[in-house]
Amino acid sequence: MLNTTELNFFKIALDSRKVTIEKNLNSTSVEMNEMRRNELKDEGDHAAMSLETAVDNAILGQQSKELAEIELALGKINNNLYGICEMCEEAINIERLKVKNFARYCITCREVVEKEQQH
Ligand SMILES: [Zn+2]
């Protein structure tokens, strides 16, 4: 199990990542609204913008997904479930948690989950 100092370390890391993502999500939607308000001058602008919008949407989607994972991890910290594998209920290696703060599975189970998703 993780001790209080370690839990606090991850809580702070998750919280600050959450703030960054929320800021990104907000500023991106403001920018997109502004772009929509501005009239497009020609076809070239239009093509460039739809590509940009597609990229923005992909990033937004990815970040919203990450935000959901972070919320889940923060909830686990409050419920004393953080750092425990969802599959085998063993403790997740702390080095793994440092790389991926919101890891849900231990390395062994992660491999199983990934294999299942490929099939
Ligand atoms: Zn596991």
Side-chain angles (χ1 to χ4, degrees), residues 3-37:
N3 65 38
T4 316
T5 315
E6 288 162 343
L7 275 176
N8 273 334
F9 168 84
F10 288 116
K11 192 175 174 344
I12 290 163
L14 286 160
D15 269 333
S16 69
R17 181 73 187 143
K18 186 180 153 184
V19 170
T20 308
I21 294 179
E22 279 175 345
K23 222 156 57 182
N24 279 353
L25 291 177
N26 287 334
S27 70
T28 312
S29 52
V30 169
E31 269 168 37
M32 284 213 263
N33 285 336
E34 253 163 44
M35 279 204 289
R36 271 190 215 108
R37 271 202 298 271

PDB file of all heavy atoms in Angstrom, residues 3-37:
ATOM      1  N   ASN A   3       1.939   4.986   1.201  1.00  0.00           N
ATOM      2  CA  ASN A   3       1.795   5.765   2.433  1.00  0.00           C
ATOM      3  C   ASN A   3       1.216   7.151   2.129  1.00  0.00           C
ATOM      4  O   ASN A   3       1.030   7.514   0.969  1.00  0.00           O
ATOM      5  CB  ASN A   3       3.122   5.836   3.198  1.00  0.00           C
ATOM      6  CG  ASN A   3       4.196   6.586   2.429  1.00  0.00           C
ATOM      7  OD1 ASN A   3       3.903   7.574   1.770  1.00  0.00           O
ATOM      8  ND2 ASN A   3       5.422   6.119   2.515  1.00  0.00           N
ATOM      9  N   THR A   4       0.926   7.910   3.199  1.00  0.00           N
ATOM     10  CA  THR A   4       0.253   9.207   3.030  1.00  0.00           C
ATOM     11  C   THR A   4       1.061  10.167   2.160  1.00  0.00           C
ATOM     12  O   THR A   4       0.498  10.868   1.314  1.00  0.00           O
ATOM     13  CB  THR A   4       0.017   9.856   4.412  1.00  0.00           C
ATOM     14  OG1 THR A   4      -0.457   8.832   5.288  1.00  0.00           O
ATOM     15  CG2 THR A   4      -1.013  10.958   4.331  1.00  0.00           C
ATOM     16  N   THR A   5       2.382  10.184   2.359  1.00  0.00           N
ATOM     17  CA  THR A   5       3.236  11.079   1.571  1.00  0.00           C
ATOM     18  C   THR A   5       3.132  10.731   0.089  1.00  0.00           C
ATOM     19  O   THR A   5       2.999  11.615  -0.759  1.00  0.00           O
ATOM     20  CB  THR A   5       4.711  10.931   2.011  1.00  0.00           C
ATOM     21  OG1 THR A   5       4.755  10.926   3.444  1.00  0.00           O
ATOM     22  CG2 THR A   5       5.563  12.043   1.462  1.00  0.00           C
ATOM     23  N   GLU A   6       3.174   9.442  -0.212  1.00  0.00           N
ATOM     24  CA  GLU A   6       3.081   9.002  -1.606  1.00  0.00           C
ATOM     25  C   GLU A   6       1.715   9.338  -2.197  1.00  0.00           C
ATOM     26  O   GLU A   6       1.607   9.828  -3.320  1.00  0.00           O
ATOM     27  CB  GLU A   6       3.352   7.499  -1.694  1.00  0.00           C
ATOM     28  CG  GLU A   6       4.817   7.166  -1.465  1.00  0.00           C
ATOM     29  CD  GLU A   6       5.066   5.702  -1.117  1.00  0.00           C
ATOM     30  OE1 GLU A   6       4.105   4.991  -0.732  1.00  0.00           O
ATOM     31  OE2 GLU A   6       6.215   5.276  -1.200  1.00  0.00           O
ATOM     32  N   LEU A   7       0.673   9.106  -1.406  1.00  0.00           N
ATOM     33  CA  LEU A   7      -0.683   9.426  -1.874  1.00  0.00           C
ATOM     34  C   LEU A   7      -0.825  10.909  -2.170  1.00  0.00           C
ATOM     35  O   LEU A   7      -1.399  11.296  -3.172  1.00  0.00           O
ATOM     36  CB  LEU A   7      -1.723   9.003  -0.828  1.00  0.00           C
ATOM     37  CG  LEU A   7      -2.183   7.549  -0.885  1.00  0.00           C
ATOM     38  CD1 LEU A   7      -3.129   7.252   0.267  1.00  0.00           C
ATOM     39  CD2 LEU A   7      -2.877   7.248  -2.215  1.00  0.00           C
ATOM     40  N   ASN A   8      -0.263  11.741  -1.279  1.00  0.00           N
ATOM     41  CA  ASN A   8      -0.322  13.184  -1.491  1.00  0.00           C
ATOM     42  C   ASN A   8       0.414  13.582  -2.757  1.00  0.00           C
ATOM     43  O   ASN A   8      -0.052  14.433  -3.511  1.00  0.00           O
ATOM     44  CB  ASN A   8       0.288  13.937  -0.298  1.00  0.00           C
ATOM     45  CG  ASN A   8      -0.746  14.174   0.785  1.00  0.00           C
ATOM     46  OD1 ASN A   8      -1.944  14.236   0.507  1.00  0.00           O
ATOM     47  ND2 ASN A   8      -0.281  14.302   2.013  1.00  0.00           N
ATOM     48  N   PHE A   9       1.550  12.950  -2.983  1.00  0.00           N
ATOM     49  CA  PHE A   9       2.329  13.223  -4.186  1.00  0.00           C
ATOM     50  C   PHE A   9       1.475  12.980  -5.437  1.00  0.00           C
ATOM     51  O   PHE A   9       1.415  13.821  -6.335  1.00  0.00           O
ATOM     52  CB  PHE A   9       3.584  12.329  -4.199  1.00  0.00           C
ATOM     53  CG  PHE A   9       4.314  12.311  -5.503  1.00  0.00           C
ATOM     54  CD1 PHE A   9       5.238  13.298  -5.820  1.00  0.00           C
ATOM     55  CD2 PHE A   9       4.072  11.306  -6.440  1.00  0.00           C
ATOM     56  CE1 PHE A   9       5.914  13.283  -7.032  1.00  0.00           C
ATOM     57  CE2 PHE A   9       4.742  11.280  -7.661  1.00  0.00           C
ATOM     58  CZ  PHE A   9       5.661  12.273  -7.949  1.00  0.00           C
ATOM     59  N   PHE A  10       0.776  11.858  -5.470  1.00  0.00           N
ATOM     60  CA  PHE A  10      -0.040  11.533  -6.639  1.00  0.00           C
ATOM     61  C   PHE A  10      -1.283  12.425  -6.732  1.00  0.00           C
ATOM     62  O   PHE A  10      -1.700  12.798  -7.819  1.00  0.00           O
ATOM     63  CB  PHE A  10      -0.453  10.054  -6.627  1.00  0.00           C
ATOM     64  CG  PHE A  10       0.704   9.145  -6.919  1.00  0.00           C
ATOM     65  CD1 PHE A  10       1.159   8.250  -5.976  1.00  0.00           C
ATOM     66  CD2 PHE A  10       1.350   9.210  -8.142  1.00  0.00           C
ATOM     67  CE1 PHE A  10       2.247   7.420  -6.238  1.00  0.00           C
ATOM     68  CE2 PHE A  10       2.443   8.390  -8.425  1.00  0.00           C
ATOM     69  CZ  PHE A  10       2.890   7.495  -7.465  1.00  0.00           C
ATOM     70  N   LYS A  11      -1.828  12.771  -5.573  1.00  0.00           N
ATOM     71  CA  LYS A  11      -3.007  13.639  -5.560  1.00  0.00           C
ATOM     72  C   LYS A  11      -2.652  15.000  -6.168  1.00  0.00           C
ATOM     73  O   LYS A  11      -3.388  15.523  -6.995  1.00  0.00           O
ATOM     74  CB  LYS A  11      -3.505  13.821  -4.121  1.00  0.00           C
ATOM     75  CG  LYS A  11      -4.873  14.472  -4.031  1.00  0.00           C
ATOM     76  CD  LYS A  11      -5.319  14.479  -2.581  1.00  0.00           C
ATOM     77  CE  LYS A  11      -6.597  15.205  -2.289  1.00  0.00           C
ATOM     78  NZ  LYS A  11      -7.141  16.112  -3.248  1.00  0.00           N
ATOM     79  N   ILE A  12      -1.487  15.535  -5.756  1.00  0.00           N
ATOM     80  CA  ILE A  12      -1.052  16.833  -6.279  1.00  0.00           C
ATOM     81  C   ILE A  12      -0.783  16.739  -7.778  1.00  0.00           C
ATOM     82  O   ILE A  12      -1.197  17.600  -8.555  1.00  0.00           O
ATOM     83  CB  ILE A  12       0.191  17.338  -5.511  1.00  0.00           C
ATOM     84  CG1 ILE A  12      -0.205  17.725  -4.083  1.00  0.00           C
ATOM     85  CG2 ILE A  12       0.837  18.531  -6.227  1.00  0.00           C
ATOM     86  CD1 ILE A  12       0.964  17.855  -3.118  1.00  0.00           C
ATOM     87  N   ALA A  13      -0.115  15.664  -8.197  1.00  0.00           N
ATOM     88  CA  ALA A  13       0.196  15.473  -9.618  1.00  0.00           C
ATOM     89  C   ALA A  13      -1.091  15.383 -10.441  1.00  0.00           C
ATOM     90  O   ALA A  13      -1.217  16.019 -11.488  1.00  0.00           O
ATOM     91  CB  ALA A  13       1.037  14.217  -9.804  1.00  0.00           C
ATOM     92  N   LEU A  14      -2.066  14.612  -9.938  1.00  0.00           N
ATOM     93  CA  LEU A  14      -3.336  14.452 -10.645  1.00  0.00           C
ATOM     94  C   LEU A  14      -4.115  15.761 -10.686  1.00  0.00           C
ATOM     95  O   LEU A  14      -4.666  16.139 -11.711  1.00  0.00           O
ATOM     96  CB  LEU A  14      -4.177  13.352  -9.980  1.00  0.00           C
ATOM     97  CG  LEU A  14      -3.713  11.914 -10.226  1.00  0.00           C
ATOM     98  CD1 LEU A  14      -4.278  10.978  -9.180  1.00  0.00           C
ATOM     99  CD2 LEU A  14      -4.114  11.451 -11.620  1.00  0.00           C
ATOM    100  N   ASP A  15      -4.120  16.466  -9.543  1.00  0.00           N
ATOM    101  CA  ASP A  15      -4.838  17.744  -9.472  1.00  0.00           C
ATOM    102  C   ASP A  15      -4.273  18.765 -10.460  1.00  0.00           C
ATOM    103  O   ASP A  15      -5.030  19.444 -11.147  1.00  0.00           O
ATOM    104  CB  ASP A  15      -4.760  18.327  -8.051  1.00  0.00           C
ATOM    105  CG  ASP A  15      -5.935  17.878  -7.191  1.00  0.00           C
ATOM    106  OD1 ASP A  15      -7.000  17.587  -7.768  1.00  0.00           O
ATOM    107  OD2 ASP A  15      -5.782  17.823  -5.966  1.00  0.00           O
ATOM    108  N   SER A  16      -2.935  18.849 -10.535  1.00  0.00           N
ATOM    109  CA  SER A  16      -2.360  19.868 -11.401  1.00  0.00           C
ATOM    110  C   SER A  16      -2.571  19.502 -12.867  1.00  0.00           C
ATOM    111  O   SER A  16      -2.797  20.372 -13.710  1.00  0.00           O
ATOM    112  CB  SER A  16      -0.878  20.101 -11.090  1.00  0.00           C
ATOM    113  OG  SER A  16      -0.133  18.994 -11.467  1.00  0.00           O
ATOM    114  N   ARG A  17      -2.523  18.200 -13.179  1.00  0.00           N
ATOM    115  CA  ARG A  17      -2.807  17.761 -14.551  1.00  0.00           C
ATOM    116  C   ARG A  17      -4.259  18.076 -14.919  1.00  0.00           C
ATOM    117  O   ARG A  17      -4.569  18.503 -16.022  1.00  0.00           O
ATOM    118  CB  ARG A  17      -2.521  16.252 -14.670  1.00  0.00           C
ATOM    119  CG  ARG A  17      -2.743  15.671 -16.033  1.00  0.00           C
ATOM    120  CD  ARG A  17      -1.688  16.076 -17.031  1.00  0.00           C
ATOM    121  NE  ARG A  17      -2.041  15.626 -18.374  1.00  0.00           N
ATOM    122  CZ  ARG A  17      -1.809  16.315 -19.478  1.00  0.00           C
ATOM    123  NH1 ARG A  17      -1.191  17.463 -19.406  1.00  0.00           N
ATOM    124  NH2 ARG A  17      -2.171  15.867 -20.647  1.00  0.00           N
ATOM    125  N   LYS A  18      -5.137  17.883 -13.949  1.00  0.00           N
ATOM    126  CA  LYS A  18      -6.560  18.158 -14.143  1.00  0.00           C
ATOM    127  C   LYS A  18      -6.781  19.643 -14.472  1.00  0.00           C
ATOM    128  O   LYS A  18      -7.509  19.976 -15.406  1.00  0.00           O
ATOM    129  CB  LYS A  18      -7.325  17.785 -12.874  1.00  0.00           C
ATOM    130  CG  LYS A  18      -8.822  17.892 -12.989  1.00  0.00           C
ATOM    131  CD  LYS A  18      -9.488  17.501 -11.683  1.00  0.00           C
ATOM    132  CE  LYS A  18     -10.818  18.208 -11.559  1.00  0.00           C
ATOM    133  NZ  LYS A  18     -11.458  17.935 -10.273  1.00  0.00           N
ATOM    134  N   VAL A  19      -6.117  20.519 -13.703  1.00  0.00           N
ATOM    135  CA  VAL A  19      -6.234  21.960 -13.930  1.00  0.00           C
ATOM    136  C   VAL A  19      -5.744  22.317 -15.335  1.00  0.00           C
ATOM    137  O   VAL A  19      -6.401  23.070 -16.061  1.00  0.00           O
ATOM    138  CB  VAL A  19      -5.438  22.751 -12.850  1.00  0.00           C
ATOM    139  CG1 VAL A  19      -5.339  24.227 -13.195  1.00  0.00           C
ATOM    140  CG2 VAL A  19      -6.088  22.566 -11.489  1.00  0.00           C
ATOM    141  N   THR A  20      -4.595  21.741 -15.737  1.00  0.00           N
ATOM    142  CA  THR A  20      -4.043  22.011 -17.065  1.00  0.00           C
ATOM    143  C   THR A  20      -5.028  21.605 -18.155  1.00  0.00           C
ATOM    144  O   THR A  20      -5.283  22.365 -19.091  1.00  0.00           O
ATOM    145  CB  THR A  20      -2.725  21.229 -17.270  1.00  0.00           C
ATOM    146  OG1 THR A  20      -1.869  21.495 -16.170  1.00  0.00           O
ATOM    147  CG2 THR A  20      -2.032  21.624 -18.557  1.00  0.00           C
ATOM    148  N   ILE A  21      -5.574  20.407 -18.037  1.00  0.00           N
ATOM    149  CA  ILE A  21      -6.499  19.919 -19.064  1.00  0.00           C
ATOM    150  C   ILE A  21      -7.752  20.780 -19.109  1.00  0.00           C
ATOM    151  O   ILE A  21      -8.210  21.180 -20.179  1.00  0.00           O
ATOM    152  CB  ILE A  21      -6.868  18.433 -18.831  1.00  0.00           C
ATOM    153  CG1 ILE A  21      -5.628  17.570 -19.032  1.00  0.00           C
ATOM    154  CG2 ILE A  21      -7.988  17.992 -19.767  1.00  0.00           C
ATOM    155  CD1 ILE A  21      -5.864  16.099 -18.806  1.00  0.00           C
ATOM    156  N   GLU A  22      -8.297  21.108 -17.935  1.00  0.00           N
ATOM    157  CA  GLU A  22      -9.522  21.921 -17.907  1.00  0.00           C
ATOM    158  C   GLU A  22      -9.283  23.280 -18.563  1.00  0.00           C
ATOM    159  O   GLU A  22     -10.135  23.786 -19.282  1.00  0.00           O
ATOM    160  CB  GLU A  22     -10.009  22.090 -16.468  1.00  0.00           C
ATOM    161  CG  GLU A  22     -10.780  20.862 -16.005  1.00  0.00           C
ATOM    162  CD  GLU A  22     -11.178  20.918 -14.541  1.00  0.00           C
ATOM    163  OE1 GLU A  22     -10.633  21.749 -13.801  1.00  0.00           O
ATOM    164  OE2 GLU A  22     -12.019  20.116 -14.137  1.00  0.00           O
ATOM    165  N   LYS A  23      -8.096  23.831 -18.322  1.00  0.00           N
ATOM    166  CA  LYS A  23      -7.744  25.105 -18.933  1.00  0.00           C
ATOM    167  C   LYS A  23      -7.666  24.951 -20.447  1.00  0.00           C
ATOM    168  O   LYS A  23      -8.185  25.768 -21.194  1.00  0.00           O
ATOM    169  CB  LYS A  23      -6.409  25.599 -18.366  1.00  0.00           C
ATOM    170  CG  LYS A  23      -6.418  27.072 -18.071  1.00  0.00           C
ATOM    171  CD  LYS A  23      -5.427  27.540 -17.031  1.00  0.00           C
ATOM    172  CE  LYS A  23      -3.975  27.237 -17.292  1.00  0.00           C
ATOM    173  NZ  LYS A  23      -3.072  27.675 -16.230  1.00  0.00           N
ATOM    174  N   ASN A  24      -7.004  23.877 -20.899  1.00  0.00           N
ATOM    175  CA  ASN A  24      -6.909  23.595 -22.333  1.00  0.00           C
ATOM    176  C   ASN A  24      -8.282  23.457 -22.967  1.00  0.00           C
ATOM    177  O   ASN A  24      -8.549  24.024 -24.011  1.00  0.00           O
ATOM    178  CB  ASN A  24      -6.163  22.269 -22.570  1.00  0.00           C
ATOM    179  CG  ASN A  24      -4.668  22.459 -22.483  1.00  0.00           C
ATOM    180  OD1 ASN A  24      -4.183  23.578 -22.380  1.00  0.00           O
ATOM    181  ND2 ASN A  24      -3.941  21.363 -22.500  1.00  0.00           N
ATOM    182  N   LEU A  25      -9.133  22.676 -22.324  1.00  0.00           N
ATOM    183  CA  LEU A  25     -10.461  22.418 -22.875  1.00  0.00           C
ATOM    184  C   LEU A  25     -11.247  23.716 -22.992  1.00  0.00           C
ATOM    185  O   LEU A  25     -11.903  23.957 -23.994  1.00  0.00           O
ATOM    186  CB  LEU A  25     -11.219  21.406 -22.015  1.00  0.00           C
ATOM    187  CG  LEU A  25     -10.681  19.964 -22.039  1.00  0.00           C
ATOM    188  CD1 LEU A  25     -11.485  19.093 -21.096  1.00  0.00           C
ATOM    189  CD2 LEU A  25     -10.709  19.381 -23.436  1.00  0.00           C
ATOM    190  N   ASN A  26     -11.162  24.555 -21.963  1.00  0.00           N
ATOM    191  CA  ASN A  26     -11.882  25.829 -21.997  1.00  0.00           C
ATOM    192  C   ASN A  26     -11.345  26.759 -23.068  1.00  0.00           C
ATOM    193  O   ASN A  26     -12.107  27.316 -23.842  1.00  0.00           O
ATOM    194  CB  ASN A  26     -11.808  26.531 -20.643  1.00  0.00           C
ATOM    195  CG  ASN A  26     -12.687  25.858 -19.622  1.00  0.00           C
ATOM    196  OD1 ASN A  26     -13.679  25.224 -19.987  1.00  0.00           O
ATOM    197  ND2 ASN A  26     -12.325  25.977 -18.364  1.00  0.00           N
ATOM    198  N   SER A  27     -10.017  26.917 -23.129  1.00  0.00           N
ATOM    199  CA  SER A  27      -9.460  27.869 -24.085  1.00  0.00           C
ATOM    200  C   SER A  27      -9.691  27.383 -25.503  1.00  0.00           C
ATOM    201  O   SER A  27      -9.957  28.176 -26.388  1.00  0.00           O
ATOM    202  CB  SER A  27      -7.972  28.098 -23.828  1.00  0.00           C
ATOM    203  OG  SER A  27      -7.250  26.953 -24.163  1.00  0.00           O
ATOM    204  N   THR A  28      -9.635  26.075 -25.742  1.00  0.00           N
ATOM    205  CA  THR A  28      -9.849  25.574 -27.092  1.00  0.00           C
ATOM    206  C   THR A  28     -11.281  25.835 -27.546  1.00  0.00           C
ATOM    207  O   THR A  28     -11.497  26.238 -28.676  1.00  0.00           O
ATOM    208  CB  THR A  28      -9.541  24.065 -27.188  1.00  0.00           C
ATOM    209  OG1 THR A  28      -8.282  23.841 -26.564  1.00  0.00           O
ATOM    210  CG2 THR A  28      -9.451  23.627 -28.628  1.00  0.00           C
ATOM    211  N   SER A  29     -12.249  25.675 -26.658  1.00  0.00           N
ATOM    212  CA  SER A  29     -13.620  25.897 -27.109  1.00  0.00           C
ATOM    213  C   SER A  29     -13.892  27.383 -27.331  1.00  0.00           C
ATOM    214  O   SER A  29     -14.656  27.742 -28.212  1.00  0.00           O
ATOM    215  CB  SER A  29     -14.633  25.287 -26.145  1.00  0.00           C
ATOM    216  OG  SER A  29     -14.384  25.711 -24.845  1.00  0.00           O
ATOM    217  N   VAL A  30     -13.225  28.251 -26.564  1.00  0.00           N
ATOM    218  CA  VAL A  30     -13.361  29.696 -26.794  1.00  0.00           C
ATOM    219  C   VAL A  30     -12.794  30.044 -28.167  1.00  0.00           C
ATOM    220  O   VAL A  30     -13.430  30.727 -28.963  1.00  0.00           O
ATOM    221  CB  VAL A  30     -12.643  30.524 -25.689  1.00  0.00           C
ATOM    222  CG1 VAL A  30     -12.558  31.995 -26.067  1.00  0.00           C
ATOM    223  CG2 VAL A  30     -13.364  30.349 -24.367  1.00  0.00           C
ATOM    224  N   GLU A  31     -11.585  29.513 -28.451  1.00  0.00           N
ATOM    225  CA  GLU A  31     -10.957  29.763 -29.750  1.00  0.00           C
ATOM    226  C   GLU A  31     -11.830  29.285 -30.891  1.00  0.00           C
ATOM    227  O   GLU A  31     -11.975  29.953 -31.903  1.00  0.00           O
ATOM    228  CB  GLU A  31      -9.611  29.024 -29.838  1.00  0.00           C
ATOM    229  CG  GLU A  31      -8.437  29.864 -29.363  1.00  0.00           C
ATOM    230  CD  GLU A  31      -7.181  29.018 -29.185  1.00  0.00           C
ATOM    231  OE1 GLU A  31      -6.983  28.102 -29.993  1.00  0.00           O
ATOM    232  OE2 GLU A  31      -6.445  29.273 -28.225  1.00  0.00           O
ATOM    233  N   MET A  32     -12.431  28.110 -30.724  1.00  0.00           N
ATOM    234  CA  MET A  32     -13.243  27.549 -31.798  1.00  0.00           C
ATOM    235  C   MET A  32     -14.490  28.390 -32.028  1.00  0.00           C
ATOM    236  O   MET A  32     -14.898  28.593 -33.161  1.00  0.00           O
ATOM    237  CB  MET A  32     -13.610  26.111 -31.479  1.00  0.00           C
ATOM    238  CG  MET A  32     -12.422  25.195 -31.706  1.00  0.00           C
ATOM    239  SD  MET A  32     -12.913  23.578 -32.261  1.00  0.00           S
ATOM    240  CE  MET A  32     -12.876  22.721 -30.742  1.00  0.00           C
ATOM    241  N   ASN A  33     -15.083  28.898 -30.948  1.00  0.00           N
ATOM    242  CA  ASN A  33     -16.253  29.754 -31.098  1.00  0.00           C
ATOM    243  C   ASN A  33     -15.895  31.035 -31.841  1.00  0.00           C
ATOM    244  O   ASN A  33     -16.662  31.505 -32.673  1.00  0.00           O
ATOM    245  CB  ASN A  33     -16.840  30.117 -29.731  1.00  0.00           C
ATOM    246  CG  ASN A  33     -17.580  28.942 -29.132  1.00  0.00           C
ATOM    247  OD1 ASN A  33     -18.025  28.054 -29.850  1.00  0.00           O
ATOM    248  ND2 ASN A  33     -17.699  28.943 -27.816  1.00  0.00           N
ATOM    249  N   GLU A  34     -14.712  31.570 -31.531  1.00  0.00           N
ATOM    250  CA  GLU A  34     -14.278  32.780 -32.209  1.00  0.00           C
ATOM    251  C   GLU A  34     -14.076  32.534 -33.691  1.00  0.00           C
ATOM    252  O   GLU A  34     -14.456  33.356 -34.521  1.00  0.00           O
ATOM    253  CB  GLU A  34     -12.972  33.280 -31.587  1.00  0.00           C
ATOM    254  CG  GLU A  34     -13.201  34.520 -30.736  1.00  0.00           C
ATOM    255  CD  GLU A  34     -12.036  34.776 -29.804  1.00  0.00           C
ATOM    256  OE1 GLU A  34     -10.883  34.665 -30.256  1.00  0.00           O
ATOM    257  OE2 GLU A  34     -12.290  35.078 -28.621  1.00  0.00           O
ATOM    258  N   MET A  35     -13.483  31.382 -34.008  1.00  0.00           N
ATOM    259  CA  MET A  35     -13.244  31.047 -35.408  1.00  0.00           C
ATOM    260  C   MET A  35     -14.556  30.933 -36.153  1.00  0.00           C
ATOM    261  O   MET A  35     -14.669  31.338 -37.299  1.00  0.00           O
ATOM    262  CB  MET A  35     -12.472  29.737 -35.520  1.00  0.00           C
ATOM    263  CG  MET A  35     -10.991  29.933 -35.309  1.00  0.00           C
ATOM    264  SD  MET A  35     -10.052  28.628 -36.103  1.00  0.00           S
ATOM    265  CE  MET A  35     -10.443  27.254 -35.056  1.00  0.00           C
ATOM    266  N   ARG A  36     -15.546  30.362 -35.498  1.00  0.00           N
ATOM    267  CA  ARG A  36     -16.847  30.187 -36.158  1.00  0.00           C
ATOM    268  C   ARG A  36     -17.503  31.535 -36.428  1.00  0.00           C
ATOM    269  O   ARG A  36     -18.191  31.709 -37.415  1.00  0.00           O
ATOM    270  CB  ARG A  36     -17.763  29.330 -35.290  1.00  0.00           C
ATOM    271  CG  ARG A  36     -17.596  27.874 -35.602  1.00  0.00           C
ATOM    272  CD  ARG A  36     -18.643  27.027 -34.939  1.00  0.00           C
ATOM    273  NE  ARG A  36     -18.047  25.758 -34.552  1.00  0.00           N
ATOM    274  CZ  ARG A  36     -17.787  25.406 -33.311  1.00  0.00           C
ATOM    275  NH1 ARG A  36     -18.084  26.215 -32.316  1.00  0.00           N
ATOM    276  NH2 ARG A  36     -17.239  24.267 -33.044  1.00  0.00           N
ATOM    277  N   ARG A  37     -17.278  32.469 -35.534  1.00  0.00           N
ATOM    278  CA  ARG A  37     -17.866  33.800 -35.714  1.00  0.00           C
ATOM    279  C   ARG A  37     -17.248  34.536 -36.890  1.00  0.00           C
ATOM    280  O   ARG A  37     -17.914  35.285 -37.575  1.00  0.00           O
ATOM    281  CB  ARG A  37     -17.709  34.625 -34.434  1.00  0.00           C
ATOM    282  CG  ARG A  37     -18.868  34.451 -33.478  1.00  0.00           C
ATOM    283  CD  ARG A  37     -18.981  35.619 -32.526  1.00  0.00           C
ATOM    284  NE  ARG A  37     -17.791  35.761 -31.688  1.00  0.00           N
ATOM    285  CZ  ARG A  37     -17.639  35.145 -30.500  1.00  0.00           C
ATOM    286  NH1 ARG A  37     -18.587  34.389 -30.042  1.00  0.00           N
ATOM    287  NH2 ARG A  37     -16.554  35.316 -29.795  1.00  0.00           N
TER     288      ARG A  37
END
